[in-house]
Amino acid sequence: MTIAAHAADTLTRDALAVLQPAFTGTTTAPPWLLRQLENGMTGVGLFGRNVVSPGQLAGLTAQLRRANPDVLVAIDEEGGDVTRLEVRTGSSFPGNLALGSVDDPGLTRAVAAELGRRLRAVGVTLNWAPDADINTDPRNPVIGVRSFGADPALVARHTVAYVEGLQSAGVAACVKHFPGHGDTSVDSHLALPRVDTDLATLHARELVPFKAAVAAGARSVMSAHILLPALDPDRPGTLSPAVLTGLLRAPESAGGLGFQGLIFSDALEMRAVAGTYGLDRGCVLAVAAGADAVCVGGTPSDEAEVLRLRDALVRAVRAGELSEERLHDAAERVRALARWTTAARRDTAGGTPAPAGDVGLTAARRAVRVTPAPGAGPYAPPTGPAQVAVLTPAVNIAVGADTPWGVAAELVRLLPGTRAGTFGRGDAERAGPGALAARVLDAAAGRPLVVVVRDVHRHPWMAAVLGALLAARPDAVVVEMGVPHAPPAGRLHLATHGAARVCALAAAEIITGRLTTQP
């Protein structure tokens, strides 16, 4: 091979190495993906569409590893509302808000370690978690229960505990979404959020968990598709050198965080980036800004897309838009983390023992907050079948529509004969909140009524229906499975701090009297 040919091959392999595509497939990876892993691609993202069972997933990741022994296999497994391992059943682990509400870092560490143990067992080597965003704006449509809370110090200590627990199991953590996605009321999957926070506030609030995570040895950080004019008035964080290089990478002596690990972009097909810059241009700008690994996995990729992005990076280097050194540095950081995960898998090959008991259910039980109506007297659990009304909002893309939620399934199991109805905004708009409530009340005649809501403070239609139900049935039990921002209401109000399956089970245990005191 000539020197020029070798240089071209190195450039092409570097461009492939920074791409983190996803794919469609469960039992067999597509041939193009295996071929590109052999050609130098280093990372692959897994989503719920790739998961059927632990055994199936272990076989799939083993196939990827045969194509590239150092492949970086990533997944978006936050636990709680955002689960890929248990996308069709709901998570065995409560999410961040539940863990933050308990505020026991040892418990958070144990939950993350057990989650990491399960990820390692199926061949996953990197988890795009934890979410280190501070839930500053209660209107936030995409963070909410994914955050540990609204207090910077609390979020920081649980972010650190999560990173320590996950990485103790040999799975690299990815702290997100830098420099903070909590103070937004716009979902970056759909549009570009703007955060008008000054730098002093940013350092005192949003950056606190990220600084703590860097100090704790987090192996990677994911960027946010947000516009932060105090740092860059023109480009979102993922595409901004001021954010990724000038703040995250810069040494502490220069006002930065001094992070030396891997920087992931958030998924570039999200409208906050792709809607303005397009996928190819966004990919080039992200790497030039300081991102090392480019996620393009929210929707499945194909070989044509991967090669198009590879070629866009190569052209940008040859046109002088992207330095060859920056691309090579990014590729080397991806390879270094991949080697770390390979070594970590080997070092933990004997496996860490599973914790005694069910740590996920224990955490979920501890997270439920029960508020009885003032002066209502002792709560009498139902002895017969109940009627459950689920007031369900549109689910954000990060959570996905495939994961079931709510307490109905658990109550049907614990109280045979229980019936359930699910109602959304469209039902309320067509019938009117009062008429919809009347339908629920008719179905609930002679039965205990349980009303399940999710972020009721963000949805006027939901609040209106709930208000009409409680006006007629003040004895109803209300279960809030989102952020409990609205005042407690109902004969008994349960705040689960998330909609994981174990959160639903904990709530059902309390409603039926099987769990009489919170542990």
Side-chain angles (χ1 to χ4, degrees), residues 219-238:
R219 292 288 167 173
S220 61
V221 171
M222 178 178 282
S223 67
H225 300 333
I226 60 169
L227 187 67
L228 191 64
L231 287 169
D232 189 329
D234 300 315
R235 289 184 179 174
T238 297

Side-chain angles (χ1 to χ4, degrees), residues 131-144 147 149-150 152 176-188 192-199 201-203 205-207 210 224-230:
D131 190 312
D133 299 312
I134 295 168
N135 202 27
T136 306
D137 190 337
R139 300 170 300 164
N140 198 310
V142 70
I143 302 301
S147 167
K176 60 188 183 184
H177 306 84
F178 186 86
H181 205 313
D183 194 17
T184 68
S185 58
V186 173
D187 184 349
S188 53
L192 177 61
R194 176 187 174 104
V195 180
D196 289 309
T197 299
D198 59 72
L199 289 182
T201 302
L202 187 74
H203 278 274
R205 191 176 65 191
E206 275 76 14
L207 295 184
F210 292 99
H225 300 333
I226 60 169
L227 187 67
L228 191 64

Side-chain angles (χ1 to χ4, degrees), residues 405-432:
W405 73 282
V407 302
E410 296 296 341
L411 288 178
V412 167
R413 182 176 62 84
L414 296 175
L415 298 173
T418 291
R419 301 187 303 238
T422 299
F423 309 95
R425 178 179 175 178
D427 298 303
E429 290 178 343
R430 284 188 293 271

Side-chain angles (χ1 to χ4, degrees), residues 72-458:
L72 195 60
V73 182
I75 199 167
D76 193 9
E77 181 58 51
E78 299 177 14
D81 291 31
V82 180
T83 179
R84 312 306 178 205
L85 288 184
E86 300 179 278
V87 65
R88 291 168 187 85
T89 60
S91 181
S92 300
F93 302 95
N96 283 6
L97 190 63
L99 295 171
S101 71
V102 177
D103 197 14
D104 178 351
L107 180 64
T108 297
R109 191 177 294 108
V111 166
E114 173 59 11
L115 181 56
R117 188 186 70 82
R118 296 189 189 187
L119 291 172
R120 186 192 65 229
V122 296
V124 171
T125 58
L126 184 141
N127 190 11
W128 287 316
D131 190 312
D133 299 312
I134 295 168
N135 202 27
T136 306
D137 190 337
R139 300 170 300 164
N140 198 310
V142 70
I143 302 301
V145 296
R146 300 168 66 196
S147 167
F148 288 113
D151 176 70
L154 181 147
V155 174
R157 60 179 170 265
H158 286 278
T159 297
V160 168
Y162 198 109
V163 167
E164 291 173 345
L166 191 64
Q167 294 188 169
S168 74
V171 175
C174 182
V175 183
K176 60 188 183 184
H177 306 84
F178 186 86
H181 205 313
D183 194 17
T184 68
S185 58
V186 173
D187 184 349
S188 53
H189 292 88
L190 307 176
L192 177 61
R194 176 187 174 104
V195 180
D196 289 309
T197 299
D198 59 72
L199 289 182
T201 302
L202 187 74
H203 278 274
R205 191 176 65 191
E206 275 76 14
L207 295 184
V208 171
F210 292 99
K211 292 175 181 178
V214 170
R219 292 288 167 173
S220 61
V221 171
M222 178 178 282
S223 67
H225 300 333
I226 60 169
L227 187 67
L228 191 64
L231 287 169
D232 189 329
D234 300 315
R235 289 184 179 174
T238 297
L239 311 184
S240 171
V243 172
L244 300 188
T245 302
L247 182 61
L248 182 53
R249 272 288 181 238
E252 294 179 64
S253 59
L257 275 66
F259 179 62
Q260 294 305 307
L262 186 73
I263 300 177
F264 276 93
S265 78
D266 205 346
L268 287 189
E269 72 274 9
M270 293 163 62
R271 298 303 297 168
V273 169
T276 300
Y277 299 92
L279 199 56
D280 298 15
R281 183 66 178 156
C283 179
V284 170
L285 292 175
V287 176
D292 305 307
V294 177
C295 294
V296 286
T299 54
S301 301
D302 56 22
E303 188 166 31
E305 180 178 79
V306 168
L307 295 181
R308 193 181 75 243
L309 295 176
R310 179 202 67 182
D311 293 345
L313 290 165
V314 170
R315 284 196 305 272
V317 169
R318 290 174 174 162
E321 297 178 73
L322 171 64
S323 76
E324 188 171 353
E325 294 75 18
R326 167 80 276 269
L327 179 59
H328 184 64
D329 173 67
E332 284 296 290
R333 289 181 188 274
V334 175
R335 294 174 186 129
L337 182 56
R339 290 192 297 270
W340 180 90
T341 62
T342 299
R345 270 180 61 81
R346 183 182 62 245
D347 294 343
T348 56
T352 53
D358 188 334
V359 67
L361 181 56
T362 296
R365 286 168 172 164
R366 291 180 63 183
V368 181
R369 296 293 175 265
V370 180
T371 306
Y379 170 69
T383 57
Q387 182 71 34
V388 182
V390 184
L391 307 184
T392 182
V395 179
N396 70 62
I397 294 173
V399 173
D402 294 331
T403 305
W405 73 282
V407 302
E410 296 296 341
L411 288 178
V412 167
R413 182 176 62 84
L414 296 175
L415 298 173
T418 291
R419 301 187 303 238
T422 299
F423 309 95
R425 178 179 175 178
D427 298 303
E429 290 178 343
R430 284 188 293 271
L436 180 57
R439 285 170 50 192
V440 173
L441 292 168
D442 286 344
R447 288 172 171 249
L449 175 61
V450 178
V451 186
V452 186
V453 296
R454 199 173 190 178
D455 291 340
V456 68
H457 67 282
R458 292 199 302 109

